[in-house]
Amino acid sequence: MEEVDQIIIGSLLNIGCEFAEGMTSLKQFTTENVVEATVKCLRIINPDYKMSHIFPPGMSARFRVGTSIANTCKSIGYQGDIGYQTFLYSAERDVRQIFMFLVEKLPRKEGVKEDTGKSNVLQRRIGQVLREKCSTMWMPFYCKPLIEGVPFRTQPLFIPKYSKGHRNSKSQGKRQNEKKYDYIHRQVEHDELTPSLLELNCSQLIAASPTIGKTSKQGDMKTTKVTKEAFHWKDKSMVPANILSFLQLPDAIPFDSSLDEVIQIVTGQSLKTNRSRFAHAKDLQFTTVNDPTSSVDEASSSADVAKDQEELEEIRFQREEDEMNKMISDVVEDEEKYKEDLKMVEMSMKQIVVNTQELESTNEERIKQVKLKEKTLKLLPNAEENMEKLKAMVDASSQRLVELGKLWEEKRIPLVAEIRRLKQSKTETEFDAERKVEEIRLLRSRMKDVSEETKQKDQLIKQLKTELDSVKRDISRQSYTRRILEIVASIHKQKQEIQRVIEDVKLVQKTMNKLKGRANRTFSAADEVIFRDAKQDEGSKQAYKYLVSLHDNCAALLKTVEETGLIMREIRDLEGQIDIEIGKNAEENLEKILKDYKEVKRENAEMIKKLKKK
Amino acid sequence: MELSSLQAVGIVEKDTDNGLMWTWTYPSLTADQKEYALSKCCLSWDIKTEKGKIVPFVFSQYRKQWYYVFTMATSEPTALKSVTFFSIILVGNDFNPEKYAVLTRILSKYYEESANPVRILEQYLMVVTKGVCQSNSNGVFKVNSFSSQKAFTTASLKDVINTFGIQSILLYTAILLKMKVLVYHSKLELLLEITRALPALAWHRQDWSVVYPWVQDRQQELNAVRKLPHYVVGCTVENVLTPDDFDLYVNAEDGTITVSPHAKESLTMGKLHKDVAKKMVELAENETVTNQQFIAGIAEKTTELLEKLSSLGSENSAGETIISPDHIKSKDLHPNTETFLMNLAIAERLLKFD
């Protein structure tokens, strides 16, 4: 029975009965444990069933709870004897039976039947990932160890919309031109992007601040230059403070306030240093502007002197121009002439080409004709004779050619046939090859499919493996199988035993019948012989009487033996029943019941008392 | 000359499994010649395309030799087993489609009956040596009964001129001035008819060697054509040649004629052209005029023109008429007429330079 108990305890542990930890047998279960385990099982079997698994201390309440549990067990199909007493006064056997029934009824875990569908795999995967995620501790992103600080290094950025007239760094020059019109994330290194953007934003804020508006109002190139300079100066030292104050007090600076006011508000410093720079720049600017004007004055003063010279030169130019014109017209005339000549030359070339081609084409023919005529001339002296000869020759050659043709034909036909055959076989092999290629393609695709399937299955296996690992390995399965095997073996043994007993019984019965028959036959034979004699012989009469009485006595004896057997069987049955009853702890339970009965009575009395008091 | 004009004969067979094979040749053909002949043989065309249909008789010129290809399907009773189609290819020196059409037909009949090329060889040798061949059904084939004159006038020039109307004067001028003419028509049979008719515009030359009735988009053919000083080339595919390669583009399907930019100057029309054009259209529209009469009419006009040209020049010591550019210039003609006459003189090899 130990295996059964272990299986039951394992199952109970699985459904969350922590008290069962470390127990090995149902004997160790207390009444409370039994009730708790039963209620938990029932709850899982029937989710609608609501009952606290804590056994109440009051006796009548306990009775009620016991009855309710027993009823529920019956309602889900328990066929054995069950009542409140089963729980209140638990006998190990009953409890085991109930638990066996309940554990059987517990819904199987999914996974008994595995579906390999994709959605199932996905769900499993999701489940797995979630489980993994749950097992690791959550951390806010800023606590993750990988993030490192980035030094505040900036690069100039170029954004067409904003960068016009703006420079936030001195080192622009070439790089800007190269990277112009590129996306900002490609203009600088990854690490420098955020700082650069921040800086750009800062400088834009400054540019948009009323300082610029103010200076542009003065409408002078010089002043913008100065502000730029001032800006650079601010850029180096004051930006953070500037921006901070600007951000903190966005409305504190009126838009039409003067530059000085703004600077004062923004920087909180005196204007003195600024002013000195401003003035300095102004001075520089003015001096540079003054220089060219003075030189122009000088030039105008010397203009009068040059006037005479200019006139002279004009006349010279006129003369030169005339000469040139003449030359040009001459050249044009020449060109016309040359063109004409060129055309003529082209024409002549064309003519020559045509002539050459004509001559070439006729040349070949003429050469042939000449040769023919030469031959003819040679043959001319004996014209008649030669003609005959030639005719004969031609005929002979023709004949010979035809002969040769026939000979060739003899060779050719098998060759052509061979070619045809080879071609045929080639196309056949090609066809074969094509078919094979097709087959290969098919196989490939099938291979692909199969490999995909294998991959899927592998994944599933992996997943299931991890799942299997994650599930606590309990003894239940092993013990189940062992138990089943044992049961099967014992049943087999029992069957054999029963068979043997049956055979025994049959044998005995047979012998009995045989003996009975023989006794009867002997008796009737004896009866007949002695009865015949008894008619004549008095002694025989007596013998006959004895025989009859003997027969009757024997029959009575037999009957008695049979009855004895019956009684023996009954005794054995009763003994078995007694054993069962003893197993049920009847006495102990009775005592308990008595105790409980008294308790109930006491409770009732108390209640009545309470009621009466009220 | 006529007896030896035949150069070679070949047989191409198409098997039941679509295999194409050059099975027999006499006396011999080079690989290039064979390749050309095969390209002109309709059995080699892709059956799947629309142009894969059988064109029974095709002729074309390549490297101064004329190829005549006659194709027929075998029909029972035949000694040719496992052959569905076969072509008889004749290579000759002269242009005479009708003559060779008859000859190829006779030869093909022999071959279909006997499947023995020796029969063809016999007939071929008969034609070469005696100018006669025995047809097994239609009596005797005589080379002499097919004159080149007849071949030149068979194709209807009149119909061609009617297709293009007054534009035909461009064709006339181009042929007369030995220019490069490209003719396009998608139907091969019609293309062959049109191209072979055109040289009749310059009847006095009797020169049909300028015609390349069918040029395909093959590098060897196109290169051969590009080397020619002047030609009449037919094609069934547009844009085989670039406008730089030809002077006149004749789209026979649409009835349009286009002058290449570089030839515009030479093909400017003058008073002389108007005269000829009028006569030409007049003759073409007259239904009672036969093709021969039509050609004669145009020849007459051409002769007039040439006489006029000759009258400008002088005879040299050898009795040849010679024209120098100064002769033409001194007449103080209209510039267009002057250019035309100059070009005509060149084409007729009359112009002499000092």
Side-chain angles (χ1 to χ4, degrees):
Chain A
M1 287 291 121
E2 246 171 50
E3 282 90 18
V4 179
D5 287 2
Q6 266 178 8
I7 289 165
I8 291 168
I9 288 165
S11 307
L12 292 179
L13 273 171
N14 273 347
I15 61 164
C17 297
E18 275 142 24
F19 61 85
E21 186 88 59
M23 289 194 184
T24 54
S25 162
L26 288 181
K27 265 183 210 163
Q28 293 161 303
F29 276 41
T30 62
T31 308
E32 282 80 14
N33 289 349
V34 172
V35 170
E36 186 184 338
T38 317
V39 169
K40 277 187 173 166
C41 286
L42 286 172
R43 267 199 221 153
I44 288 167
I45 294 163
N46 182 10
D48 297 333
Y49 182 69
K50 287 185 178 77
M51 165 75 78
S52 167
H53 62 263
I54 295 158
F55 207 39
M59 206 51 233
S60 42
R62 281 180 174 214
F63 171 74
R64 248 196 333 274
V65 169
T67 318
S68 136
I69 292 171
N71 286 338
T72 318
C73 282
K74 270 183 189 160
S75 74
I76 61 168
Y78 184 66
Q79 304 217 324
D81 186 24
I82 192 169
Y84 65 94
Q85 75 282 357
T86 323
F87 300 101
L88 262 58
Y89 320 108
S90 48
E92 193 192 335
R93 252 185 50 172
D94 292 345
V95 170
R96 184 173 295 129
Q97 266 182 353
I98 287 168
F99 276 134
M100 271 159 75
F101 168 75
L102 287 174
V103 167
E104 200 110 306
K105 277 273 170 183
L106 277 178
R108 303 266 150 180
K109 276 191 178 174
E110 326 84 57
V112 176
K113 259 190 196 170
E114 272 310 333
D115 193 1
T116 52
K118 275 188 179 173
S119 64
N120 225 318
V121 173
L122 182 68
Q123 273 181 3
R124 269 164 199 294
R125 180 85 196 115
I126 291 169
Q128 201 186 356
V129 170
L130 284 177
R131 221 168 294 135
E132 270 168 28
K133 290 279 167 201
C134 286
S135 64
T136 59
M137 196 163 66
W138 179 81
M139 264 200 269
F141 65 91
Y142 43 79
C143 290
K144 297 231 165 108
L146 273 174
I147 304 287
E148 283 172 17
V150 176
F152 196 86
R153 241 181 276 130
T154 66
Q155 287 287 335
L157 291 174
F158 183 83
I159 304 170
K161 199 174 158 190
Y162 297 118
S163 300
K164 205 166 185 185
H166 159 69
R167 276 172 210 148
N168 62 349
S169 172
K170 284 173 187 168
S171 63
Q172 273 187 312
K174 276 184 200 166
R175 283 189 68 176
Q176 193 205 12
N177 283 332
E178 283 165 12
K179 298 182 176 178
K180 231 177 192 177
Y181 309 121
D182 208 347
Y183 294 112
I184 49 165
H185 66 274
R186 287 198 207 131
Q187 288 182 27
V188 293
E189 296 291 315
H190 175 70
D191 283 356
E192 292 170 348
L193 180 62
T194 316
S196 303
L197 273 173
L198 287 171
E199 194 203 27
L200 182 72
N201 186 45
C202 286
S203 50
Q204 288 299 328
L205 273 172
I206 292 166
S209 76
T211 31
I212 297 297
K214 197 66 217 164
T215 46
S216 63
K217 237 180 202 176
Q218 294 175 6
D220 198 334
M221 279 297 290
K222 283 166 260 163
T223 45
T224 40
K225 244 188 185 166
V226 173
T227 37
K228 253 182 217 161
E229 209 172 306
F231 170 73
H232 283 310
W233 164 73
K234 271 189 261 162
D235 198 26
K236 281 168 200 153
S237 60
M238 299 309 292
V239 167
N242 189 345
I243 297 304
L244 267 176
S245 60
F246 189 74
L247 289 174
Q248 279 167 1
L249 312 159
D251 298 319
I253 309 164
F255 279 102
D256 51 353
S257 57
S258 76
L259 172 68
D260 298 348
E261 283 167 3
V262 172
I263 292 171
Q264 245 176 349
I265 292 164
V266 169
T267 64
Q269 285 194 349
S270 75
L271 261 173
K272 273 176 189 170
T273 41
N274 261 341
R275 236 190 219 301
S276 65
R277 277 168 177 275
F278 190 89
H280 181 62
K282 228 176 193 172
D283 285 349
L284 274 172
Q285 208 60 33
F286 274 125
T287 49
T288 49
V289 171
N290 278 341
D291 281 340
T293 25
S294 61
S295 65
V296 170
D297 285 345
E298 274 174 38
S300 64
S301 67
S302 59
D304 289 336
V305 188
K307 218 175 186 180
D308 293 336
Q309 276 184 338
E310 266 179 34
E311 271 174 21
L312 275 172
E313 260 183 27
E314 216 168 273
I315 293 162
R316 201 154 56 83
F317 281 144
Q318 193 73 42
R319 220 179 294 140
E320 268 178 33
E321 200 187 329
D322 287 347
E323 272 172 37
M324 294 286 248
N325 274 342
K326 209 178 157 199
M327 269 165 76
I328 287 168
S329 63
D330 281 357
V331 169
V332 167
E333 242 171 67
D334 280 1
E335 200 199 341
E336 286 288 314
K337 223 164 81 189
Y338 286 134
K339 265 189 185 162
E340 195 75 11
D341 286 356
L342 195 70
K343 216 170 163 189
M344 280 299 119
V345 171
E346 269 175 9
M347 288 269 195
S348 72
M349 260 171 71
K350 236 175 169 179
Q351 179 70 86
I352 287 162
V353 166
V354 170
N355 283 348
T356 321
Q357 183 227 338
E358 194 74 31
L359 286 173
E360 266 175 11
S361 67
T362 50
N363 196 26
E364 277 174 42
E365 274 175 38
R366 280 188 185 154
I367 286 171
K368 272 186 203 165
Q369 269 178 335
V370 165
K371 274 182 186 167
L372 194 70
K373 277 180 182 162
E374 266 177 7
K375 278 183 189 168
T376 323
L377 270 174
K378 272 183 199 165
L379 298 174
L380 211 56
N382 287 324
E384 293 272 316
E385 198 183 319
N386 283 333
M387 285 261 278
E388 282 305 310
K389 261 190 199 166
L390 273 176
K391 265 184 189 166
M393 240 166 86
V394 165
D395 284 343
S397 319
S398 296
Q399 275 301 307
R400 209 162 52 86
L401 276 172
V402 170
E403 287 299 314
L404 283 171
K406 275 178 189 159
L407 279 178
W408 169 233
E409 197 55 21
E410 276 168 26
K411 300 267 176 213
R412 192 188 69 97
I413 284 170
L415 287 174
V416 168
E418 176 75 6
I419 289 175
R420 287 232 161 89
R421 199 180 55 74
L422 288 175
K423 263 190 184 169
Q424 182 78 24
S425 71
K426 191 184 151 211
T427 49
E428 264 165 29
T429 32
E430 266 172 9
F431 182 73
D432 247 28
E434 239 167 65
R435 216 184 32 165
K436 272 178 187 156
V437 163
E438 189 60 33
E439 237 167 65
I440 288 169
R441 208 173 296 140
L442 230 126
L443 278 176
R444 282 230 175 101
S445 74
R446 208 178 299 157
M447 254 163 70
K448 226 178 181 177
D449 286 355
V450 169
S451 73
E452 196 132 300
E453 214 171 286
T454 318
K455 233 184 252 168
Q456 239 175 49
K457 291 254 163 86
D458 274 348
Q459 209 186 338
L460 194 69
I461 287 170
K462 232 192 213 162
Q463 210 164 326
L464 288 175
K465 245 184 201 163
T466 54
E467 216 164 273
L468 190 67
D469 288 342
S470 70
V471 173
K472 226 168 50 187
R473 288 293 287 234
D474 51 22
I475 28 78
S476 64
R477 192 185 159 73
Q478 236 177 339
S479 46
Y480 266 130
T481 46
R482 204 168 53 214
R483 179 83 196 119
I484 289 163
L485 284 174
E486 269 170 25
I487 289 168
V488 168
S490 76
I491 285 171
H492 195 65
K493 226 157 107 193
Q494 274 176 12
K495 223 176 171 180
Q496 278 181 335
E497 200 88 352
I498 288 166
Q499 206 66 38
R500 221 178 41 171
V501 170
I502 287 170
E503 263 168 36
D504 241 21
V505 169
K506 270 183 185 164
L507 202 75
V508 171
Q509 259 174 3
K510 221 177 174 179
T511 328
M512 266 164 71
N513 288 342
K514 224 158 71 186
L515 289 173
K516 254 187 191 167
R518 200 191 285 168
N520 274 337
R521 274 198 307 279
T522 318
F523 167 71
S524 57
D527 182 65
E528 207 177 306
V529 171
I530 294 170
F531 186 70
R532 214 191 299 142
D533 286 352
K535 279 177 185 171
Q536 296 125 13
D537 190 1
E538 205 53 37
S540 295
K541 216 182 234 178
Q542 192 62 33
Y544 182 71
K545 269 181 195 162
Y546 283 136
L547 179 70
V548 170
S549 74
L550 184 73
H551 182 70
D552 287 348
N553 283 341
C554 278
L557 198 70
L558 267 174
K559 209 180 161 195
T560 317
V561 167
E562 268 170 18
E563 269 169 18
T564 318
L566 267 173
I567 287 161
M568 289 281 276
R569 219 182 304 156
E570 240 169 75
I571 288 167
R572 230 177 288 145
D573 278 358
L574 285 173
E575 269 174 356
Q577 270 178 17
I578 287 164
D579 276 350
I580 290 167
E581 286 306 316
I582 285 167
K584 277 181 184 167
N585 291 343
E587 259 178 65
E588 207 181 308
N589 282 347
L590 270 172
E591 270 170 37
K592 264 194 202 167
I593 289 168
L594 256 161
K595 217 172 94 191
D596 290 348
Y597 174 64
K598 277 175 193 159
E599 186 87 353
V600 172
K601 259 189 168 176
R602 197 175 51 79
E603 275 173 22
N604 283 352
E606 264 174 38
M607 276 177 172
I608 291 164
K609 230 189 254 172
K610 271 183 194 170
L611 268 172
K612 273 181 183 169
K613 263 185 194 171
K614 278 176 187 175
Chain B
M1 286 308 289
E2 289 221 333
L3 292 183
S4 60
S5 62
L6 258 179
Q7 297 289 304
V9 58
I11 302 170
V12 176
E13 289 176 0
K14 187 165 213 169
D15 298 349
T16 38
D17 60 347
N18 272 337
L20 193 65
M21 197 172 15
W22 189 293
T23 47
W24 188 80
T25 322
Y26 177 84
S28 68
L29 286 172
T30 64
D32 184 39
Q33 284 174 316
K34 275 188 184 176
E35 198 185 318
Y36 179 81
L38 268 183
S39 77
K40 296 291 171 266
C41 171
C42 56
L43 297 180
S44 68
W45 307 340
D46 191 358
I47 297 171
K48 280 159 201 154
T49 61
E50 196 200 338
K51 287 179 179 172
K53 64 180 167 60
I54 297 298
V55 182
F57 189 65
V58 178
F59 57 91
S60 190
Q61 195 196 180
Y62 180 59
R63 295 192 195 278
K64 293 187 179 165
Q65 281 181 319
W66 286 89
Y67 291 73
Y68 302 92
V69 183
F70 175 74
T71 306
M72 68 179 282
T74 53
S75 55
E76 293 297 333
T78 173
L80 287 164
K81 304 293 172 208
S82 74
V83 173
T84 51
F85 292 96
F86 69 93
S87 295
I88 302 285
I89 294 165
L90 283 179
V91 182
N93 280 340
D94 57 339
F95 170 81
N96 202 331
E98 283 68 36
K99 178 171 88 181
Y100 291 107
V102 172
L103 186 56
T104 48
R105 225 159 253 149
I106 291 168
L107 294 180
S108 67
K109 272 272 173 278
Y110 275 119
Y111 188 61
E112 195 192 5
E113 273 171 23
S114 65
N116 189 355
V118 178
R119 302 298 301 277
I120 289 184
L121 178 64
E122 283 167 6
Q123 299 308 319
Y124 178 86
L125 289 172
M126 287 279 280
V127 173
V128 171
T129 55
K130 302 204 168 73
V132 182
C133 110
Q134 205 74 37
S135 162
N136 53 359
S137 56
N138 271 342
V140 182
F141 164 82
K142 279 186 187 150
V143 171
N144 290 336
S145 53
F146 295 93
S147 71
S148 55
Q149 293 283 331
K150 223 168 162 182
F152 294 160
T153 54
T154 303
S156 173
L157 178 66
K158 203 178 143 194
D159 290 348
V160 177
I161 301 304
N162 270 332
T163 314
F164 297 104
I166 196 77
Q167 282 186 94
S168 312
I169 190 63
L170 282 169
L171 263 174
Y172 173 79
T173 317
I175 300 287
L176 208 60
L177 297 185
K178 292 190 175 172
M179 294 175 95
K180 300 172 180 179
V181 180
L182 182 68
V183 183
Y184 162 78
H185 200 292
S186 59
K187 288 247 174 353
L188 180 59
E189 294 95 325
L190 287 172
L191 179 75
L192 297 179
E193 283 300 298
I194 292 165
T195 46
R196 69 177 280 195
L198 289 180
L201 285 169
W203 182 254
H204 63 285
R205 287 190 198 131
Q206 296 275 307
D207 182 11
W208 256 252
S209 68
V210 297
V211 184
Y212 294 81
W214 184 30
V215 171
Q216 280 167 298
D217 193 5
R218 292 168 68 245
Q219 215 48 50
Q220 296 103 299
E221 286 185 57
L222 293 179
N223 283 343
V225 162
R226 284 197 188 101
K227 278 180 198 154
L228 297 167
H230 63 110
Y231 54 70
V232 175
V233 158
C235 60
T236 53
V237 185
E238 279 180 284
N239 304 326
V240 286
L241 291 168
T242 56
D244 287 339
D245 295 324
F246 53 80
D247 302 316
L248 202 67
Y249 180 72
V250 182
N251 188 333
E253 212 159 69
D254 302 347
T256 56
I257 296 178
T258 321
V259 181
S260 290
H262 64 89
K264 283 241 160 79
E265 196 195 335
S266 316
L267 284 172
T268 329
M269 297 294 118
K271 194 169 154 283
L272 289 170
H273 297 104
K274 205 177 156 192
D275 205 20
V276 179
K278 243 166 133 184
K279 175 88 190 271
M280 206 152 71
V281 174
E282 219 170 79
L283 277 171
E285 280 170 356
N286 189 346
E287 282 178 18
T288 55
V289 174
T290 63
N291 190 42
Q292 272 93 334
Q293 286 169 328
F294 176 75
I295 290 169
I298 291 176
E300 199 182 305
K301 263 288 171 202
T302 313
T303 323
E304 271 176 35
L305 203 62
L306 290 173
E307 272 168 9
K308 203 172 183 181
L309 182 67
S310 309
S311 69
L312 296 174
S314 58
E315 272 188 28
N316 69 355
S317 51
E320 290 168 348
T321 313
I322 282 173
I323 303 164
S324 80
D326 297 332
H327 282 136
I328 297 172
K329 276 183 192 162
S330 61
K331 296 291 172 198
D332 213 10
L333 294 158
H334 188 271
N336 286 351
T337 315
E338 192 185 301
T339 324
F340 172 67
L341 286 176
M342 209 81 115
N343 283 323
L344 184 60
I346 290 172
E348 294 298 322
R349 302 170 59 209
L350 294 171
L351 208 59
K352 272 277 164 350
F353 293 86
D354 304 322

Short mmCIF file of all heavy atoms in Angstrom, two decimals, chain A residues 149-154 191-192 195:
data_model
loop_
_atom_site.label_atom_id
_atom_site.label_comp_id
_atom_site.label_asym_id
_atom_site.label_seq_id
_atom_site.Cartn_x
_atom_site.Cartn_y
_atom_site.Cartn_z
N GLY A 149 28.45 56.84 -18.99
CA GLY A 149 28.32 58.28 -19.18
C GLY A 149 28.99 58.69 -20.48
O GLY A 149 29.88 58.03 -20.97
N VAL A 150 28.50 59.75 -21.08
CA VAL A 150 29.08 60.25 -22.32
C VAL A 150 29.67 61.62 -22.03
O VAL A 150 28.98 62.47 -21.46
CB VAL A 150 27.99 60.37 -23.42
CG1 VAL A 150 28.58 60.99 -24.66
CG2 VAL A 150 27.40 59.01 -23.71
N PRO A 151 30.90 61.81 -22.40
CA PRO A 151 31.49 63.14 -22.14
C PRO A 151 30.78 64.19 -22.99
O PRO A 151 30.35 63.90 -24.12
CB PRO A 151 32.95 62.98 -22.56
CG PRO A 151 32.97 61.78 -23.44
CD PRO A 151 31.87 60.89 -22.99
N PHE A 152 30.71 65.38 -22.47
CA PHE A 152 30.01 66.46 -23.17
C PHE A 152 30.93 67.07 -24.23
O PHE A 152 31.56 68.09 -24.01
CB PHE A 152 29.54 67.50 -22.15
CG PHE A 152 28.50 68.42 -22.72
CD1 PHE A 152 27.15 68.07 -22.68
CD2 PHE A 152 28.85 69.62 -23.32
CE1 PHE A 152 26.20 68.91 -23.21
CE2 PHE A 152 27.90 70.45 -23.85
CZ PHE A 152 26.57 70.09 -23.79
N ARG A 153 31.02 66.34 -25.34
CA ARG A 153 31.86 66.84 -26.45
C ARG A 153 30.93 67.19 -27.60
O ARG A 153 30.05 66.41 -27.95
CB ARG A 153 32.83 65.75 -26.87
CG ARG A 153 34.27 66.19 -26.71
CD ARG A 153 35.22 65.10 -27.16
NE ARG A 153 35.47 64.13 -26.13
CZ ARG A 153 35.37 62.81 -26.32
NH1 ARG A 153 35.00 62.33 -27.49
NH2 ARG A 153 35.62 61.96 -25.35
N THR A 154 31.11 68.36 -28.16
CA THR A 154 30.15 68.78 -29.20
C THR A 154 30.84 68.99 -30.54
O THR A 154 32.04 69.20 -30.61
CB THR A 154 29.47 70.10 -28.80
OG1 THR A 154 30.48 71.12 -28.80
CG2 THR A 154 28.82 70.00 -27.46
N ASP A 191 28.22 59.41 -30.10
CA ASP A 191 28.34 59.90 -28.73
C ASP A 191 28.15 61.40 -28.64
O ASP A 191 27.74 61.94 -27.62
CB ASP A 191 29.73 59.55 -28.18
CG ASP A 191 29.78 58.10 -27.79
OD1 ASP A 191 28.72 57.44 -27.88
OD2 ASP A 191 30.86 57.61 -27.42
N GLU A 192 28.49 62.04 -29.74
CA GLU A 192 28.48 63.50 -29.67
C GLU A 192 27.16 64.11 -30.10
O GLU A 192 26.98 65.31 -30.04
CB GLU A 192 29.60 64.04 -30.57
CG GLU A 192 30.98 63.70 -30.03
CD GLU A 192 32.08 64.01 -31.03
OE1 GLU A 192 31.75 64.27 -32.19
OE2 GLU A 192 33.24 63.99 -30.63
N PRO A 195 25.00 65.84 -27.06
CA PRO A 195 25.60 67.11 -26.63
C PRO A 195 25.55 68.17 -27.72
O PRO A 195 25.24 69.34 -27.44
CB PRO A 195 27.05 66.73 -26.33
CG PRO A 195 27.02 65.27 -26.06
CD PRO A 195 25.92 64.72 -26.86
#
